[in-house]
């Protein structure tokens, strides 16, 4: 089986659904269920015999070792992280703890787990470190896109913590021969994304007739990739990537934030029109994010050539599907935005952090 850390979050839960839709091999999700972890994301697979769940913290060495001993996985896909840049600016310490120390604990635990495996299992084991393009810093308007050899130049505490964890993973590959693979992906969007991130936040605010806050002048550029395409890329990297290598993943969809928000508003004008005017009337320019990266762009030549991966969604097709998903899941949005899912978690787990299966 494989282990997925952070599998109750946005990309992790999409990865779980993708995996179980294509394979017989079981997986185990190991997740602390922070504010970003939501078991509702996994409700539809909770009774699947190939799925199991352990609530646990990657900074807790004993819990991680117990989990590895129990699961005896052939691979670990590491999504668990604090992932929101704005939160990292308000409270960087949690990012140091989870992203750097947590990754260190996982690497150490996997190192000793592997040492106990029989030689064949030791050789085929894989540790996939799911990272971000933000480690490369920011680009000028005419700079070439990031390649795998672009030097790290992180600008936010989040990006610094991811860069540090990537370097720890790299060092474990070089020093201890741990079979590490690292991916650097651009901005994801799609189902189950917590509405603190740009696209779900704009959808949620527009539907509630609340202001749509655009940082600065809205001309910062991001490269957008539908989460399903990211999950397909991760499976390719896990199964066919060269050990010790890093792979950039992106959508070739460079858009300004204003273009993204305008697109969301235009679609909502069609699907959920306001009584008067356009949803875009709600856009307000608010003070910029400190240290805001101006532009990300990704060169995906390596993964295309080596692994034959290409995104299937254009931004136009992916955003239509995403809007349809959010409009079709008002209960999910309501539970997340009212915090009802947290109340349920407290009821289910209380202060007891012991291991229990996910509910049906
Ligand atoms: P997310 O915030 O939606 O989910 C993170 C998950 O990790 C949650 O389920 C949370 O409960 C869990 N978690 C947090 N701290 C934990 C801990 N100490 N122990 C165990 N579990 C813990 O994040 P996401 O957007 O799904 O991102 C997943 C990974 O992908 C992250 O590593 C992120 O850096 C990376 N990434 C994200 C994007 C993006 O656009 N969202 C792009 C590229 C890379
Ligand atoms: O590039 C990959 C990264 O993408 C991931 O590593 C991160 O985990 C993920 O959160 C994301 O980071 P960003 O900071 O790019 O995403 P976010 O959705 O927070 O913001 C996208 C852009 O929109 C960014 O330029 C800031 C801007 N923004 C964001 C919010 C929440 C706004 O203008 N208004 C907003 O309210």
């Amino acid at each position: 089986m494989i282990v997925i850390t952070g599998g109750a979050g946005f990309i992790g839960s999409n990865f779980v659904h993708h995996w179980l839709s294509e394979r017989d091999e079981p997986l185990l999700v190991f997740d602390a269920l922070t504010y970003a972890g939501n078991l509702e994301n996994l409700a539809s697979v909770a009774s699947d015999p190939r799925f199991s769940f352990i609530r646990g913290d990657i900074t807790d060495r004993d819990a991680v070792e117990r989990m590895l001993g129990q699961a005896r996985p052939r691979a670990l896909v590491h999504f668990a992280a604090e992932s929101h840049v704005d939160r990292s600016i308000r409270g960087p310490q949690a990012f140091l703890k989870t992203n750097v120390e947590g990754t260190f604990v996982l690497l150490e635990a996997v190192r000793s787990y592997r040492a106990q495996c029989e030689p064949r299992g030791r050789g085929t084991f894989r540790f996939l470190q799911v990272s971000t393009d933000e480690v490369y810093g920011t680009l000028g308007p005419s700079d070439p896109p990031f390649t795998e050899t672009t030097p790290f130049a992180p600008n936010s505490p989040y990006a610094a913590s991811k860069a540090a964890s990537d370097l720890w993973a790299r060092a474990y590959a070089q020093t201890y021969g741990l079979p590490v693979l690292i991916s650097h992906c651009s901005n994801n969007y799609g189902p189950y994304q917590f509405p603190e991130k740009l696209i779900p936040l704009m959808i949620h605010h527009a539907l509630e007739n609340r202001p749509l806050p655009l940082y600065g002048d809205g001309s910062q550029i991001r490269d957008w990739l539908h989460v399903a395409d990211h999950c397909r890329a991760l499976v390719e990297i896990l199964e066919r990537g060269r050990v010790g290598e890093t792979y950039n993943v992106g959508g070739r969809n460079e858009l300004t934030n204003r273009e993204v928000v305008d697109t969301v508003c235009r679609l909502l004008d069609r699907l959920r029109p306001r009584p008067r005017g356009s949803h875009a009337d709600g856009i307000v320019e608010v003070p910029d994010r400190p240290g805001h990266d101006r532009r990300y762009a990704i060169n995906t030549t390596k993964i295309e050539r080596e692994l034959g991966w290409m995104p299937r969604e254009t931004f136009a097709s992916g955003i239509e599907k995403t809007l349809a998903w959010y409009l079709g899941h008002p209960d999910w949005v309501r539970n997340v935005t009212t915090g009802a899912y947290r109340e349920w978690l407290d009821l289910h787990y209380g202060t007891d952090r012991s291991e229990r299966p996910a509910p049906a």
Side-chain angles (χ1 to χ4, degrees), residues 95-358:
F95 288 71
L96 182 67
K97 175 90 181 159
T98 294
N99 299 359
V100 185
E101 190 183 330
T103 302
F104 164 74
V105 166
L106 278 181
L107 290 165
E108 270 291 284
V110 164
R111 185 161 79 93
S112 65
Y113 162 70
R114 246 185 103 243
Q116 294 153 22
C117 291
E118 38 82 36
R120 198 171 158 275
R122 203 176 303 148
T124 54
F125 190 87
R126 296 287 180 270
F127 183 104
L128 173 50
Q129 160 82 355
V130 181
S131 190
T132 169
D133 59 358
E134 301 206 9
V135 298
Y136 298 125
T138 188
L139 293 168
S142 51
D143 287 339
F146 302 129
T147 69
E148 287 78 1
T149 54
T150 302
F152 281 11
N155 291 318
S156 70
Y158 162 70
S161 69
K162 290 297 291 187
S165 63
D166 295 350
L167 294 177
W168 275 92
R170 179 194 149 87
Y172 269 59
Q174 298 292 325
T175 307
Y176 304 115
L178 208 73
V180 168
L181 297 144
I182 302 178
S183 64
H184 294 289
C185 188
S186 60
N187 286 61
N188 283 215
Y189 65 101
Y192 303 116
Q193 188 167 29
F194 196 82
E196 63 188 354
K197 307 282 168 61
L198 181 71
I199 289 178
L201 182 137
M202 292 297 168
I203 298 171
H204 172 57
H205 276 211
L207 292 176
E208 301 248 303
N209 280 325
R210 287 162 62 181
L212 310 181
L214 205 51
Y215 296 166
D217 60 4
S219 63
Q220 303 82 7
I221 292 171
R222 296 289 181 269
D223 170 59
W224 293 94
L225 181 71
H226 192 274
V227 64
D229 281 324
H230 186 190
C231 293
R232 284 195 306 104
L234 291 172
V235 171
E236 292 299 334
I237 295 168
L238 180 68
E239 304 295 35
R240 299 196 299 116
R242 282 185 293 137
V243 169
E245 291 291 318
T246 65
Y247 293 89
N248 283 353
V249 186
R252 297 190 181 199
N253 280 312
E254 279 190 61
L255 295 166
T256 65
N257 293 336
R258 190 175 289 279
E259 286 170 326
V260 169
V261 177
D262 280 343
T263 304
V264 168
C265 290
R266 218 173 26 252
L267 286 170
L268 284 176
D269 284 343
R270 199 177 78 213
L271 298 166
R272 289 289 162 87
R274 278 177 146 195
R276 269 181 308 280
S278 162
H279 283 287
D281 300 340
I283 297 175
V284 285
E285 288 184 8
V286 298
D288 209 350
R289 173 187 277 176
H292 199 170
D293 288 337
R294 292 295 302 176
R295 174 175 168 238
Y296 304 144
I298 286 264
N299 180 323
T300 52
T301 307
K302 182 174 175 180
I303 189 169
E304 286 170 17
R305 283 220 184 113
E306 280 191 23
L307 304 179
W309 174 88
M310 290 279 282
R312 289 184 184 157
E313 300 289 351
T314 62
F315 188 70
S317 65
I319 195 71
E320 285 242 18
K321 288 181 184 169
T322 302
L323 255 299
W325 189 87
Y326 283 94
L327 294 178
H329 292 79
D331 292 348
W332 185 90
V333 175
R334 193 176 316 111
N335 287 344
V336 164
T337 52
T338 60
Y341 79 105
R342 303 281 341 151
E343 284 162 30
W344 183 87
L345 270 185
D346 289 344
L347 192 69
H348 188 61
Y349 286 102
T351 49
D352 171 12
R353 293 170 66 84
S354 63
E355 297 159 7
R356 291 185 217 176

